[in-house]
Amino acid sequence: MDLSAFRDPTIARGLIEAINATETGPVKLMEVCGTHTVSIAKNGLRAVMPENVTLLSGPGCPVCVTANHDIDTAIEFAHRPEVIVTTFGDMMKVPGSYSSLAREKADGRDVRIVYSPLDAIALAQKEPDRQVVFIAVGFETTAPLIASAILRAQSEHIDNFSVFCAHKTVPAALEALINDPDVQIDGFILPGHVSTIIGSHPYEFLAENYHVPGVITGFEPVDVLQGVYMILKQLEEKRAEIEIAYHRGVMPEGNPVAREMVERVFEPIDADWRGIGVIPGTGLGIREEFSAFDAAKKLPVTPPEPKEIKGCQCGEVLRGMTLPYECKLFARGCTPEHPIGPCMVSSEGSCAAYYRYTDYGRTES
Ligand code: SF4
């Protein structure tokens, strides 16, 4: 697809003018997608907002919202000698309470990076005497891939493959943020990738019950500016609707085939979000029918009591209460090369995006 129109400076300038011409009071808009976080930082979009518009980053990076307890559990799997732990690369450096998968690997545990759960299945076939555990972290976007891997393992009778599922779902987390008295959000820039799977309907409660507008948009600069403009227009006209600006990627009904696959394999469970806490029904648990592929049931482990990382304010950053550079450790001890918290580890983390693409926090001593 030719995306040049979505990067066109003339179109972008027109949208910036339109944004600046809208009339609203001071408003805070939150994006809840790590790719939006990077796009906003990389393209300097905060700097072109009018003074009354603040763009906040929310819990849109799946690695960042993974609770210490889940990372500690992944590490415990690696302590079992019969287990090969497999995961996506961005999970490796994420600190748990006492260690990380990267440190465990350096200490000789069998931890391997894969690019897909299907690679983990291939590894299980190659290593029939070992148990291959895939650490699944993500939102609705990657859940269909995990579901298809479990269905494939079942159909091919691969009984040494299992999944530790720490997947989360987005809409109810937005409700938790709206109900948080410490957080002010006047509109949501809704995630493009997640919405390709779930569509726009699951967000409608935001407008109907809370009168908070939302616009699903894509990741190019023009997409993000268009999304911001559409939210500001709603606020100006005192409307609250869920609109789609990302028509090339999202249908209102999402992707029914992917959704059915996810519903077949997973059921909603409570999930612990870093910085937010337990949100009922926002986790994906593997259904009993597929328990042979549920690492938590098949290879039970007891992680240590979780402990928060001293000085790290990822929790506040993920709720939009603290900007990354307001953390005392930002760029002073915590950098992408030497991350202290998950928001600096992941390429989609707010702290990493601010560090890589802005000067914030560098000028003060
Ligand atoms: S700068 Fe580092 S320590 Fe501070 S909130 Fe971000 S990840 Fe945590």
Side-chain angles (χ1 to χ4, degrees), residues 36-46 353 356-358:
H36 281 150
T37 302
V38 172
S39 178
I40 288 168
K42 191 174 175 180
N43 294 296
L45 300 185
R46 278 192 183 81
R356 287 203 166 94
Y357 301 114
T358 77

Side-chain angles (χ1 to χ4, degrees), residues 8-289:
D8 186 309
T10 309
I11 299 174
R13 263 196 299 277
L15 281 164
I16 292 165
E17 280 168 23
I19 286 169
N20 278 274
T22 55
E23 292 181 4
T24 66
V27 294
K28 292 188 175 181
L29 311 184
M30 176 178 273
E31 96 270 352
V32 279
C33 169
T35 314
H36 281 150
T37 302
V38 172
S39 178
I40 288 168
K42 191 174 175 180
N43 294 296
L45 300 185
R46 278 192 183 81
V48 298
M49 290 296 123
E51 258 180 29
N52 62 317
V53 176
T54 305
L55 300 184
L56 299 173
S57 299
C61 155
V63 166
C64 306
V65 297
T66 301
N68 272 355
H69 175 77
D70 287 330
I71 294 160
D72 298 342
T73 302
I75 288 168
E76 283 305 304
F77 285 122
H79 286 177
R80 291 182 68 135
E82 77 275 34
V83 168
I84 303 173
V85 165
T86 55
T87 192
F88 295 137
D90 56 357
M91 273 298 286
M92 291 296 284
K93 277 191 186 175
V94 179
S97 302
Y98 306 95
S99 183
S100 65
L101 287 171
R103 198 183 304 165
E104 295 298 318
K105 184 176 173 65
D107 287 347
R109 317 288 185 193
D110 200 344
V111 181
R112 306 189 197 182
I113 294 172
V114 290
Y115 297 100
S116 154
L118 300 179
D119 294 343
I121 288 185
L123 181 62
Q125 287 172 308
K126 221 169 100 190
E127 303 259 10
D129 298 330
R130 308 283 303 280
Q131 288 291 331
V132 174
V133 175
F134 180 74
I135 309 299
V137 165
F139 294 134
E140 289 93 333
T141 324
T142 45
L145 188 62
I146 313 299
S148 76
I150 290 174
L151 290 169
R152 180 164 164 198
Q154 187 192 49
S155 73
E156 294 184 14
H157 307 289
I158 301 166
D159 59 9
N160 63 330
F161 166 80
S162 58
V163 172
F164 173 61
C165 189
H167 259 66
K168 295 179 173 56
T169 53
V170 168
L174 308 186
E175 186 164 29
L177 286 169
I178 289 182
N179 286 324
D180 186 334
D182 297 328
V183 179
Q184 182 210 327
I185 302 164
D186 301 294
F188 282 108
I189 302 167
L190 293 167
H193 291 142
V194 163
S195 306
T196 58
I197 306 298
I198 67 172
S200 58
H201 300 314
Y203 306 111
E204 280 166 2
F205 71 94
L206 294 168
E208 286 165 9
N209 302 349
Y210 297 96
H211 206 71
V212 173
V215 174
I216 299 166
T217 194
F219 308 101
E220 301 300 332
V222 165
D223 288 316
V224 178
L225 291 168
Q226 174 79 23
V228 170
Y229 172 68
M230 287 168 70
I231 298 172
L232 293 175
K233 272 318 264 184
Q234 289 197 42
L235 290 169
E236 186 183 65
E237 293 166 6
K238 306 211 181 319
R239 286 186 291 122
E241 294 167 23
I242 302 304
E243 297 179 310
I244 301 174
Y246 190 37
H247 290 290
R248 66 185 188 280
V250 174
M251 306 283 283
E253 65 277 18
N255 180 333
V257 175
R259 279 206 333 263
E260 270 166 32
M261 193 161 33
V262 170
E263 276 159 29
R264 185 170 165 209
V265 174
F266 297 111
E267 59 188 349
I269 57 169
D270 297 349
D272 192 2
W273 294 62
R274 184 187 295 269
I276 302 176
V278 174
I279 309 176
T282 58
L284 292 178
I286 297 171
R287 290 187 186 277
E288 192 56 36
E289 181 190 345

Side-chain angles (χ1 to χ4, degrees), residues 311-314 317 324 327-331 334 340-344 351:
C312 174
Q313 290 184 265
C314 270
V317 169
C327 170
K328 285 192 175 63
L329 298 173
F330 181 85
C334 185
I340 290 176
C343 301
M344 191 63 95
C351 297

